Amino acid sequence: MTGLGMRGRWLGACARSWCLALSVATATPMAGAAGPAVIVAESRMQAVVEALRVSGSVTAPRAARLSPAVAGKVAALRVDIGSRVAEGAVLVELDAELARIELEVAQAGVSQASEALADARRREADGRRLASSRSIAASAYEALQSEVRADTALLRQREAERRAAQARLERHVLRAPFDGVISAKLTELGEWIAPGDEALALVAERGLWVDLQVPQAYFPRLAPGMAVQLRLDALPGTAVEGRIERIVPVSDATARSFLLRVGVAGDDLPMTPGMSASAVLRLDAGRERVVVARDALLRHADGRVTVWAVEEADAQARVVERVVQPGLGFDGLVEIVDGLDAGVRVVVEGNESLRQGQAVTVAGAR
């Protein structure tokens, strides 16, 4: 054999060895591959909670359409729409000139009656001394006593008239019956208004309620004090805690619902009467069932609902499809009525394209 032939066979052997080494090196990581990475969660037995979603609106605890107690022309308007007022603050003043004159007349009548009573008492005292010495007849003394009683009654009448005139004068001023904000102004300076005519609308800003309309079927399952999770348009994405304060047991015959009044803790939330709100009522369903994370469920076009259960086989994690019957959903969980036991690991992330019996790598758990 020539040197050239021997060199060719040696180069061929080296080439085959290099290719074999390259093949082994390339195949090694493939042999260690364990399928796609998935995140799992374990099914568990838990009390089932029914999450009922309802809607409603924010309601003021007090709202009033204010009207004057007497008729008169608007002489002063102390507030405007949006004004915040305290209880007792003057809102509207009516022209009270005639009422002040009537009060002056009544006060003069009181003074006159008071003087007459004082004179009658003085003469009655003189008569008492004369009667004791028999200087006047008994009938004359009795007449003096009767005059004192009459003047006393007249003074009480004049004082009552003065109080009535004072009250009429005070009624020419319209005051705020409670703290709040003026939500409507329905009169202007110079207008003539009478009792029953709406002048202003006042709405309380503190202690606001959230009134919810709840289907009548849930009436027996609700009670005062139960926690309610509220959501307000003014606070998108933020849950507000509230509690049931009142249950109005009068069903709306047309909507087949009843009123649920929810109190909100604190007065610092940016909420106003009339604002829309929604709520989630957590109602105990009265049973325990297997529950899984909502993300574990896959819904198919043919109506099936499945989960991928992770099982260990030959030291390798593999997925097995399970057909399940879901029930109520709550808190990111779903009740499983049938098809799955407690304590089973199910795939919650990476479950979109798995195949029956496929090997997977468990990358984490919830």
Side-chain angles (χ1 to χ4, degrees):
M1 183 177 298
T2 66
L4 181 59
M6 292 180 64
R7 186 167 179 264
R9 283 196 297 273
W10 180 80
L11 289 174
C14 288
R16 285 193 298 273
S17 299
W18 180 81
C19 290
L20 180 59
L22 179 62
S23 177
V24 171
T26 305
T28 299
M30 294 298 294
V38 297
I39 304 297
V40 300
E42 190 171 288
S43 60
R44 63 179 184 273
M45 189 69 69
Q46 181 176 317
V48 178
V49 175
E50 182 175 0
L52 175 64
R53 298 184 180 275
V54 292
S55 60
S57 59
V58 178
T59 305
R62 287 185 291 181
R65 296 276 181 167
L66 305 181
S67 176
V70 295
K73 183 177 69 174
V74 177
L77 193 56
R78 304 294 186 187
V79 294
D80 202 344
I81 187 168
S83 299
R84 286 176 169 78
V85 297
E87 180 180 353
V90 175
L91 308 178
V92 178
E93 295 180 29
L94 303 181
D95 181 8
E97 182 179 0
L98 294 178
R100 281 191 291 269
I101 294 173
E102 291 177 0
L103 178 58
E104 291 176 3
V105 171
Q107 288 172 337
V110 170
S111 298
Q112 184 179 12
S114 179
E115 289 294 331
L117 178 59
D119 182 62
R121 284 174 175 170
R122 184 169 54 253
R123 287 186 284 110
E124 189 268 340
D126 292 341
R128 187 185 312 115
R129 287 192 298 272
L130 294 173
S132 63
S133 63
R134 298 182 184 275
S135 299
I136 63 171
S139 60
Y141 176 59
E142 290 176 358
L144 292 173
Q145 289 179 314
S146 177
E147 187 177 352
V148 169
R149 290 192 294 269
D151 286 345
T152 300
L154 180 61
L155 178 59
R156 286 199 297 267
Q157 178 183 346
R158 295 291 183 259
E159 288 177 339
E161 290 172 352
R162 181 188 60 77
R163 289 195 299 272
Q166 181 68 45
R168 283 193 294 272
L169 177 61
E170 292 175 354
R171 279 167 170 73
H172 283 69
V173 175
L174 182 59
R175 298 179 181 274
F178 51 83
D179 296 348
V181 61
I182 302 298
S183 60
K185 186 177 72 170
L186 307 170
T187 190
E188 280 295 345
L189 288 174
E191 287 188 348
W192 182 272
I193 56 176
D197 296 339
E198 296 178 357
L200 300 167
L202 179 64
V203 178
E205 288 187 293
R206 299 288 182 176
L208 298 178
W209 306 93
V210 175
D211 285 347
L212 303 170
Q213 291 295 327
V214 181
Q216 61 185 3
Y218 294 94
F219 183 80
R221 300 168 62 183
L222 296 170
M226 290 179 59
V228 179
Q229 190 179 75
L230 299 168
R231 293 190 180 276
L232 306 172
D233 287 348
L235 300 171
T238 301
V240 178
E241 294 300 323
R243 289 193 175 277
I244 296 176
E245 299 288 346
R246 302 281 189 277
I247 298 177
V248 183
V250 179
S251 180
D252 185 340
T254 57
R256 298 290 187 261
S257 62
F258 64 94
L259 178 66
L260 192 69
R261 178 156 284 180
V262 177
V264 182
D267 292 321
D268 55 347
L269 294 173
M271 51 191 287
T272 59
M275 184 180 294
S276 61
S278 61
V280 177
L281 305 177
R282 294 173 55 83
L283 306 176
D284 186 0
R287 61 180 181 271
E288 284 194 355
R289 286 272 173 80
V290 175
V291 298
V292 296
R294 188 188 306 274
D295 294 337
L297 271 60
L298 296 173
R299 300 181 183 274
H300 302 272
D302 58 3
R304 290 181 305 123
V305 179
T306 63
V307 299
W308 289 107
V310 178
E311 298 180 354
E312 294 289 338
D314 300 328
Q316 176 65 62
R318 297 184 180 277
V319 291
V320 177
E321 189 179 48
R322 302 277 184 88
V323 178
V324 297
Q325 180 183 346
L328 295 176
F330 61 98
D331 299 339
L333 303 173
V334 177
E335 169 193 19
I336 301 300
V337 178
D338 189 33
L340 192 66
D341 295 328
V344 177
R345 292 188 302 168
V346 294
V347 180
V348 294
E349 293 184 28
N351 53 356
E352 296 82 2
S353 58
L354 297 177
R355 301 186 307 276
Q356 180 72 6
Q358 183 179 4
V360 294
T361 299
V362 178
R366 288 186 186 175

